[in-house]
Each structure stands twice: as structure tokens, then as C-alpha cells.
Amino acid sequence: MRLYAAVAVSAFKRYATYRIATVAGVFTNTVFGFILAYTYTALWDERPHLGGYDLSQALTFVWLGQALLAATAVMGGGVQEELQERIRSGDIAVDLYRPVDLQLWWLAGDLGRALFQLLGRGVVPLTLGALAFRLTLPASPLTWLWFLLSVTLGVCVGFAVRYLVALAAFWLFDVAGLSMLSGLLCLFFSGMILPLHVFPGRLGEVARALPWSAILQVPADVFLEEHRGAGLLWAFGFQAAWAVVLLAAGRLLQSVATRKVVVQGG
Amino acid sequence: MWVRSTMAYRTSFLLMTLGNFAATGLDFVAIALMFSHIGSLGGFTLPEVALLYGTTSTAFGLADLLLGTMERIGRRVRDGTMDTLLVRPVPILAQVAADRFALRRLGRISQGALLLGWALVRLDIDWTLDRVLLMPVMLLSGGVIFGSVFVLGGAFQFWAADASEVQNSVTYGGNTLLQYPPTIFAKELLRGVTFVIPLAFVNWLPALHILGRPDPLGLPGWIGFGAPLVAAGCCAPAGLAWRAGLRAYRSTGS
């Protein structure tokens, strides 16, 4: 356990060294936040209370999305790229030799990365958004706590998906195409482009049941206090269930893959 | 060479092209979903938004196809591989453009062009000669304007090696901005993208003329024809910044 904590801390520190990249990222998130906020305003002006959100909640959703974009690694990257590269180059053989659990090791690193991105690239855009627009911030301090728990579960689900994609490198060698497709699906079905409540009819129902909704839609709804009491428990249960299922699938695929590894030059 | 190397991994190439196609596609799906609830956004109908969408995607796609690799300058500066480009007797800019030249980016252009075609079929445009001429002029100058931003961003990375994200805010952010009608944005923002970073010339101003709509800032209709001039004007600072960046480049290590 101490080992995995150390891995998380070192990942946090590693990302913290990219200061200019962090500032650049905050800038980009803020620019996109403004563009999306204007389009949502136009949309909600036409249809107030679309998807059960009022304008202020919709705008909050925009800025939450920008604040969580890097932390949840919606567009892929982070752990995924590194792991893929290690599989492609064969360095993975060294990792498999180590007396640690491969999946937990990468999960710990990803959680450390996510924590830094949440602080480094989340706080400033959300604050700027709250200054420029009228946002719906949680009334109860407890909601902030539930939100953080929900984000953590969301990061775990996101990690589980990216881990599966990275493992595909054992078979595909060049996973760039698959990573891209996975990033796009995540972008669309997490609600990052448009809240899933706005998706019409059956498409909306399906989108809200898919694992990606645990990455942004559920944490955002927790933040907006759309889930209360038993509903809150249900939301956490939904996220946790997807995390467990996908992490288990990752383990299964990993054990199949490692039986397949051929170490060259050894 | 890069074309052949990407073809070596056929599955990945197909998925990438498909991904690029879908990348712009999903954005439009989101807009179409919006229109499942509303009849017009900022006074624009879905085919009109599709025209804006198709024109900016095509222009951006052209720039991305040729100069999208500018994003990687920072990485080259960090790991010192920029040096390999410097010793070759070919213009650096051409080398960077050709580096990892990716045909898969055709996905974005074809998707943009497809939507543009759909918009043109659906819209009832009064095709006068000047509007017909403005169409290709808009796409080409739009590509040049986006291209200049790519080069400018690439040059900036000589100083700030890991700041390629700032470039994204203008390129990808600008592309997203231009997909929507100008009427929904604040006047200050419109002034900014007309007079400071002239992204409005990529498609907004020419497209407004083609659609026969007034500019929200009250600029005259013929201003859209200024796009090639503005595009040429963008190349100058980009070129200067690129040369300054190259001169400022000090390799890594000793």
C-alpha cells in the first residue's frame, strides 16, 4: 500500500514540474469554457430548462467539464500513452518482472496525475468561470466532498477504459487509431460536448447507462445536487460498478496478454 | 515516406482516418442534437450552421494536413532532434511540414467538405458571380489564416517548449468558435476575432455575405472579399516569428 502511495506521489510531482504546460492548459480550458458558455447560453435562451437544467446549471456544467477535462484525461494521454509505448518497445517485460501488481501500479500513478491536474488545471478555470458567469455552486459543504468522491470514482472508470485500450497494443502494435477513437467516444458520451440529459429519447437513455457517463455526467450532477439521499448512493453505486467491471476486464485481458509476451534479445 | 510508414499499420491507419472523420462528425452530431430541441440558434437554421461548420472544418483541415505537425516543435526542442532538421539542406519549415505527414488527416477535410456540400444543397442561396467566386477564396484564405496560426504557435514553442496547448486554444478553439453563428457571441469577442486575431475572415465574414446576412458588428458586406488580403497579412508575422524562433533556438545540452 505504501508503495502505491509513493507511486501516486511521484506521478503528482512529475506532472507538477510541467509548469508552462499547466498554464497553457489552463488558458486553453478557459478559452473553450467561454466559447461553450456562449453556445449554451444561446441554446438555453431558446429552450429554458432544457434537460432539466436552468441556464445557470448549464453554464456550471460547461465549466465543470473544462475543470475536469485534464483530470479525467477524457482525450486519452497520460498513463495510456506511456503504457502503450512500453508495450510497443518491449519495456513492459521489465515491468512484468517487478514484484508489483501492474494494474494497481498504473492506477496509482494515474490517480496522482489526476489529483495534480484537478488542482493545477481545474481550480483556475472553474474560478474564472464563476467570476464571469452566474454559476450554481453547491450550497452544502458536504456536496463538495461527495463531488470529490464522485470525481475519484470517475477517474477510476476513465483509467480502466484507457488501460484496456493501452493493452490492445499487445495485439495491434500501433494503437494510435484506437486511442483516438476511444478518446472521441469518451468526449461524446461523457457529456463533455453536450450534457447527456440533452440527448433525445433512447439515445439519451443508452448514453446515460454507458460507462463514460460516470466520468463527467455523474460527477457534474452530484455537484449540481441533482442526486440527493438514496439517489446519491445510487450514483456512486453506478460509478463503482462500472469501475469494478472494467478493471476486472483489464485484469483478464492483461493475463491473456502477458502469456503472449515474447521478450526479444533475451 | 511517412505516407508509406502509416500504411504499414493498416488497421491503425483505417481507425485513424475514421477517427478524424468522426472527430469533426461528432461535433456536428452534437449541434444536430441541439437542433432536435430548437428551430434556430442565434437566428441561424441547421443548414446555415452546417455551412459555417463545413467551411471552417475544410479550411482548418487544409491547414492541419499541411502544418498540423507544428505541435511537435516543442518536443523536438526538448529532446534535441530539432538539430537533425537544421543540418539538412532543405528549408526547415518544409521539413517540419513533411515530418509525420499524415494522410489520415484527409478525414477531417472530407468530412468538412461533405457537410459543406449538404449545406449548399439544402440552402437556397442567390448565386451571384461574386458569391460563387467567394466560396473557393474563403476556403483557401481560411486555410492560410489557420496555417499562419500553426506556424506562429510552432515558432512560440522555440521559447516555451511545452506550451503547444496555447496554440490549440487558437486553432482548435477558433475552429469550434467559427462553427457557430457569430450572433450568439458577445460583441467584444467578435471584435477580438475580427481585428486582433482575424479568425472572422476564415468563414464568418465571407459566409455572411454568401448567406446575405448582415454582420453583427455592422461591417459592410464586401469585407468578406478582404479574406485573401488578411490571409497574406497573417503570413508576414508568422514568417517573421518563425525566423526569429529558429534564430533563438539553442540546442539542448552543451
Side-chain angles (χ1 to χ4, degrees):
Chain A
M1 208 53 221
R2 293 243 320 260
L3 169 76
Y4 298 113
V7 171
V9 169
S10 69
F12 182 96
K13 282 190 189 152
R14 210 181 103 205
Y15 278 88
T17 53
Y18 299 124
R19 281 194 211 111
I20 299 175
T22 306
V23 174
V26 165
F27 181 74
T28 307
N29 287 143
T30 310
V31 169
F32 268 93
F34 271 99
I35 295 173
L36 285 177
Y38 281 117
T39 62
Y40 279 34
T41 306
L43 182 59
W44 260 266
D45 272 351
E46 293 279 329
R47 281 288 304 271
H49 299 288
L50 182 60
Y53 288 156
D54 61 25
L55 176 61
S56 162
Q57 285 176 311
L59 291 176
T60 311
F61 191 93
V62 168
W63 289 99
L64 280 176
Q66 292 305 314
L68 292 180
L69 185 81
T72 53
V74 163
M75 322 259 271
V79 164
Q80 187 187 326
E81 264 172 29
E82 268 169 65
L83 180 57
Q84 272 162 13
E85 190 48 38
R86 289 189 79 78
I87 293 174
R88 206 189 54 79
S89 65
D91 288 340
I92 194 74
V94 184
D95 298 343
L96 289 170
Y97 193 64
R98 291 191 179 123
V100 290
D101 184 275
L102 195 67
Q103 196 184 29
L104 273 180
W105 166 281
W106 287 98
L107 175 61
D110 201 46
L111 286 173
R113 178 201 61 78
L115 181 62
F116 172 75
Q117 303 282 36
L118 189 65
L119 296 172
R121 282 184 60 173
V123 176
V124 177
L126 190 60
T127 313
L128 289 175
L131 290 175
F133 298 90
R134 206 172 57 83
L135 301 190
T136 307
L137 299 177
S140 146
L142 212 57
T143 304
W144 287 96
L145 202 69
W146 297 139
F147 172 64
L148 287 180
L149 175 63
S150 186
V151 169
T152 311
L153 286 169
V155 170
C156 289
V157 173
F159 165 79
V161 174
R162 284 176 285 124
Y163 194 74
L164 278 169
V165 172
L167 287 180
F170 277 111
W171 289 271
L172 286 178
F173 302 106
D174 181 29
V175 237
L178 190 65
S179 310
M180 181 168 183
L181 217 54
S182 147
L184 286 171
L185 285 174
C186 184
L187 202 64
F188 191 68
F189 286 111
S190 64
M192 196 60 82
I193 302 183
L194 198 66
L196 300 183
H197 295 311
V198 177
F199 285 29
R202 188 57 61 81
L203 179 66
E205 281 166 38
V206 172
R208 285 189 290 274
L210 291 174
W212 294 290
S213 79
I215 296 173
L216 173 66
Q217 186 66 53
V218 175
D221 279 337
V222 168
F223 188 90
L224 293 169
E225 296 176 333
E226 294 277 301
H227 298 298
R228 288 160 199 275
L232 201 57
L233 273 180
W234 186 88
F236 293 144
F238 172 79
Q239 289 183 298
W242 269 123
V244 169
V245 167
L246 290 168
L247 286 171
R251 287 215 142 211
L252 194 71
L253 198 64
Q254 180 186 320
S255 68
V256 175
T258 47
R259 254 177 268 138
K260 192 184 164 300
V261 175
V262 179
V263 181
Q264 309 219 15
Chain B
M1 182 189 77
W2 284 109
V3 175
R4 248 187 292 159
S5 85
T6 40
M7 290 299 185
Y9 298 108
R10 262 168 226 282
T11 321
S12 197
F13 174 76
L14 277 175
L15 283 173
M16 283 284 238
T17 312
L18 208 75
N20 263 282
F21 192 83
T24 37
L26 282 182
D27 269 355
F28 192 74
V29 171
I31 293 179
L33 287 184
M34 287 183 182
F35 273 91
S36 72
H37 298 281
I38 52 176
S40 70
L41 190 70
F44 282 61
T45 60
L46 183 60
E48 286 177 309
V49 175
L51 177 84
L52 292 176
Y53 193 101
T55 46
T56 186
S57 291
T58 310
F60 184 78
L62 280 174
D64 186 45
L65 179 69
L66 291 176
L67 294 162
T69 42
M70 284 291 156
E71 269 174 29
R72 302 174 57 86
I73 297 273
R75 191 180 300 186
R76 284 192 166 275
V77 169
R78 275 200 307 269
D79 63 17
T81 49
M82 195 72 211
D83 294 8
T84 26
L85 301 188
L86 292 174
V87 295
R88 291 190 196 133
V90 180
I92 318 286
L93 196 61
Q95 290 188 54
V96 176
D99 177 37
R100 291 179 186 266
F101 179 78
L103 269 185
R104 62 185 157 77
R105 296 207 181 95
L106 283 176
R108 189 188 287 278
I109 299 183
S110 52
Q111 199 270 347
L114 214 67
L115 257 173
L116 180 57
W118 179 79
L120 290 178
V121 170
R122 288 292 301 274
L123 286 168
D124 188 21
I125 297 171
D126 174 19
W127 285 111
T128 52
L129 184 65
D130 58 329
R131 285 183 177 144
V132 175
L133 278 176
L134 196 51
M135 204 67 208
V137 167
M138 161 167 60
L139 295 178
L140 285 178
S141 9
V144 173
I145 295 174
F146 271 130
S148 310
V149 177
F150 271 114
V151 173
L152 208 62
F156 181 56
Q157 290 171 50
F158 281 110
W159 289 283
D162 48 0
S164 64
E165 278 251 26
V166 173
Q167 179 186 343
N168 290 348
S169 70
V170 184
T171 51
Y172 288 89
N175 187 36
T176 308
L177 183 81
L178 297 175
Q179 289 165 2
Y180 292 94
T183 42
I184 67 173
F185 297 103
K187 288 270 175 359
E188 301 84 63
L189 186 71
L190 293 184
R191 279 191 202 105
V193 294
T194 307
F195 303 114
V196 185
I197 307 173
L199 289 175
F201 285 89
V202 170
N203 73 342
W204 273 351
L205 295 170
L208 286 174
H209 181 66
I210 289 176
L211 292 171
R213 280 174 174 276
D215 172 57
L217 288 181
L219 296 171
W222 52 262
I223 195 108
F225 287 98
L229 271 177
V230 171
C234 287
C235 291
L240 286 176
W242 177 254
R243 296 182 71 161
L246 268 184
R247 236 173 294 137
Y249 174 65
R250 299 277 174 271
S251 187
T252 49
S254 48

